[in-house]
Amino acid sequence: MYKELAIIAPTASGKTELSISLAHKLNAIILSLDSLSVYKKIDIASAKPTIKERDGIKHFGIDKIAPNQNFDVVDFIQEYKIAKQYAKENNKNLIIVGGTGFYLKSMIDGLSKSPKISENTKQIVEEKLEFLHSTYNMLYKIDEQYMKKISSNDKYRIKKALEIYEQTTLTPTQYFNENKPEPIVEKLKIFQIDTDVTILRDRIFQRTKKMIKNGIINEVIELEHLYTRKPNCMKSIGIKECLDFLDGRLDKKNLEYQISTHTAQLAKRQRTFNKSQFCDIVSDNLKNLEKKILSMV
């Protein structure tokens, strides 16, 4: 019988090792719940598992697109559907694992169906996006409730909001009120690695040292050369600090400190999000959680 489960936890909690061990024991494949591992060539900064670390386990949601391409929750849900189909066709189970709790929350709550955008609307939208600031202000005036959640320079999300408005003549809030979301996944067992804050900080520090030793600076140099600094992923933790180092704003010691500090802050936000957004989670420390999962699925 096909089974699905999810493992969530802050960054550097040990999710990779746990998920791969479980995948072997549960005859499962893995779907990465990580917004950075999806990009090709971002290997060290994303801390994605290497081919060797994957240990023969089939992974989805890793190395899917180039850094200058967009990837959002809709794309993730499509990747989930592909992974699920593969698992069923190959008599496998599915483990969803990572730190991007927003993706998992969206799967549980569901997403509203997006309208089909005509070629004429696409052209109108592209023309208006040439004046991003005024377009944002226009959308903000007609739908403050929706647009206040979007940054004024977030071109991708502004574009999505504008497409809805131009295609349907409804504000995004009106559109989503009329098109209620449908859950993508139901009755999903969610497990969480419970890590002491002090231990987690040490793990983050050690991982950061390893990233620098393994060549994250050279990785960022290559990324900037190939894709410039424009893509949103170039603002990710690990990458943005390396760019500051390359610009002379940080020395090597402060580079390590800044990456570790910002990663710890991210881990705190992830813990807070998971605690507030998910219920009926089974939590335990890394040592005990594997046994608990095996006894429950």
Side-chain angles (χ1 to χ4, degrees):
M1 182 179 175
Y2 172 74
K3 297 176 182 177
E4 285 183 9
L5 65 97
I7 300 171
I8 58 173
T11 185
S13 297
K15 298 182 296 294
T16 296
E17 299 90 337
L18 174 62
S19 63
I20 290 173
S21 176
L22 283 167
H24 281 297
K25 294 171 183 176
L26 295 173
N27 185 35
I29 62 170
I30 292 174
L31 171 61
S32 173
L33 189 70
D34 186 287
S35 60
L36 199 56
S37 292
V38 70
Y39 295 107
K40 300 173 183 176
K41 296 186 179 296
I42 303 182
D43 301 323
I44 301 171
S46 69
K48 71 177 65 159
T50 63
I51 296 296
K52 183 178 179 180
E53 289 170 336
R54 294 173 209 175
D55 198 20
I57 298 299
K58 179 77 172 177
H59 278 66
F60 288 80
I62 291 179
D63 294 333
K64 297 298 297 183
I65 60 172
N68 59 349
Q69 294 177 285
N70 288 314
F71 188 89
D72 60 16
V73 64
V74 175
D75 298 305
F76 175 79
I77 289 174
Q78 181 60 30
E79 185 71 0
Y80 160 74
K81 292 177 180 178
I82 292 171
K84 182 175 182 177
Q85 181 179 352
Y86 176 93
K88 288 189 170 184
E89 288 176 352
N90 290 274
N91 297 314
K92 299 280 187 179
N93 297 308
L94 177 60
I95 299 174
I96 305 168
V97 57
T100 309
F102 169 71
Y103 284 175
L104 187 62
K105 178 67 174 175
S106 297
M107 289 174 64
I108 294 170
D109 291 349
L111 295 175
S112 299
K113 186 177 180 180
S114 298
K116 186 174 181 180
I117 309 301
S118 69
E119 290 301 319
N120 184 55
T121 297
K122 289 179 183 178
Q123 184 176 344
I124 293 171
V125 168
E126 289 302 322
E127 289 173 358
K128 290 189 175 182
L129 287 176
E130 292 293 324
F131 308 94
L132 189 65
H133 185 69
S134 60
T135 297
Y136 175 83
N137 288 338
M138 180 273 291
L139 289 169
Y140 194 95
K141 286 179 181 178
I142 64 173
D143 194 354
E144 179 180 348
Q145 179 183 345
Y146 186 82
M147 295 306 296
K148 67 182 180 182
K149 298 178 288 186
I150 298 177
S151 169
S152 61
N153 62 358
D154 189 341
K155 185 174 182 179
Y156 179 73
R157 296 180 70 191
I158 294 171
K159 177 182 179 181
K160 292 296 181 183
L162 185 59
E163 284 178 340
I164 290 172
Y165 178 66
E166 293 292 342
Q167 184 65 45
T168 67
T169 69
L170 300 173
T171 67
T173 296
Q174 290 171 335
Y175 177 83
F176 290 124
N177 283 338
E178 293 183 13
N179 295 269
K180 298 296 183 181
E182 296 181 6
I184 307 300
V185 60
E186 296 181 33
K187 298 179 181 179
L188 180 69
K189 290 182 179 178
I190 304 175
F191 299 89
Q192 178 172 249
I193 302 172
D194 188 10
T195 308
D196 178 82
V197 173
T198 303
I199 294 174
L200 184 61
R201 284 177 181 168
D202 183 64
R203 289 178 65 98
I204 289 170
F205 177 73
Q206 295 301 327
R207 192 177 77 175
T208 301
K209 290 178 73 72
K210 183 179 178 181
M211 283 179 167
I212 293 174
K213 181 180 178 182
N214 288 347
I216 188 174
I217 296 172
N218 287 334
E219 178 174 276
V220 172
I221 290 172
E222 182 183 8
L223 287 168
E224 183 184 17
H225 173 72
L226 292 172
Y227 305 107
T228 76
R229 300 187 181 189
K230 290 182 180 180
N232 284 334
C233 60
M234 295 297 285
K235 302 175 182 66
S236 301
I237 295 172
I239 296 177
K240 62 182 180 181
E241 293 84 0
C242 284
L243 291 172
D244 284 341
F245 169 78
L246 293 169
D247 288 342
R249 288 194 288 269
L250 296 174
D251 58 22
K252 205 75 170 282
K253 183 177 180 180
N254 281 323
L255 169 63
E256 185 177 301
Y257 173 78
Q258 289 293 330
I259 294 176
S260 296
T261 299
H262 294 154
T263 303
Q265 291 169 347
L266 170 63
K268 183 178 180 180
R269 293 194 298 271
Q270 290 172 326
R271 289 167 75 114
T272 300
F273 181 89
N274 291 343
K275 185 177 181 180
S276 65
Q277 297 298 319
F278 301 110
C279 57
D280 299 324
I281 295 179
V282 177
S283 299
D284 210 329
N285 60 50
L286 186 60
K287 183 179 179 181
N288 297 330
L289 190 58
E290 181 170 346
K291 292 180 181 178
K292 190 167 285 188
I293 291 173
L294 291 172
S295 69
M296 294 180 67
V297 298

